[in-house]
Amino acid sequence: MKRDDDFIRELLFEIEASDDPYLIADLVLSPSAEDLKRHMHAKWLSDAGLLLEENDGVFRITNQGHDYLAAIRDDGIWKKTKAAASSAGGVGLSVMRDIAVAYVKQELSARLGLQI
């Protein structure tokens, strides 16, 4: 299964918007393709430190996850981040975060007239 960065972004938005602080992405016997995708992406987010697996299949967003989400919230920043990652032939989540943060800093510097 390939990692889907758009799905990761949607999953983070879903967790943030929920009144429940936990994402349930457990594996059941013979999971559907969508359930398996959800579980694997939650596991990968946990591997990257963006989610924390509190219990088997029960995840919560970490402070790092909130920071990444803040960096990729803007659709324009997200499109630039994906384009930059694609032009490099694909990158890991930590580099995706670094690219997004660089674009956020660039935009803030332009808006505020400050060197960040």
Side-chain angles (χ1 to χ4, degrees), residues 11-85:
L11 200 54
L12 289 171
F13 279 136
E14 176 188 330
I15 297 166
E16 182 188 53
S18 176
D19 290 334
D20 188 345
Y22 299 103
L23 169 75
I24 307 300
D26 57 342
L27 269 185
V28 295
L29 196 58
S30 301
S32 68
E34 188 63 26
D35 286 342
L36 183 58
K37 181 178 183 177
R38 184 178 178 86
H39 177 78
M40 289 309 304
H41 282 76
K43 284 285 200 181
W44 291 330
L45 283 165
S46 180
D47 292 344
L50 303 178
L51 293 183
L52 179 66
E53 191 167 12
E54 295 279 349
N55 210 332
D56 195 27
V58 180
F59 302 84
R60 71 166 177 82
I61 193 167
T62 64
N63 192 53
Q64 273 186 286
H66 280 288
D67 289 349
Y68 180 57
L69 186 55
I72 61 171
R73 183 175 312 283
D74 179 87
D75 288 336
I77 297 287
W78 179 240
K79 287 177 186 172
K80 288 179 186 179
T81 300
K82 284 188 354 178

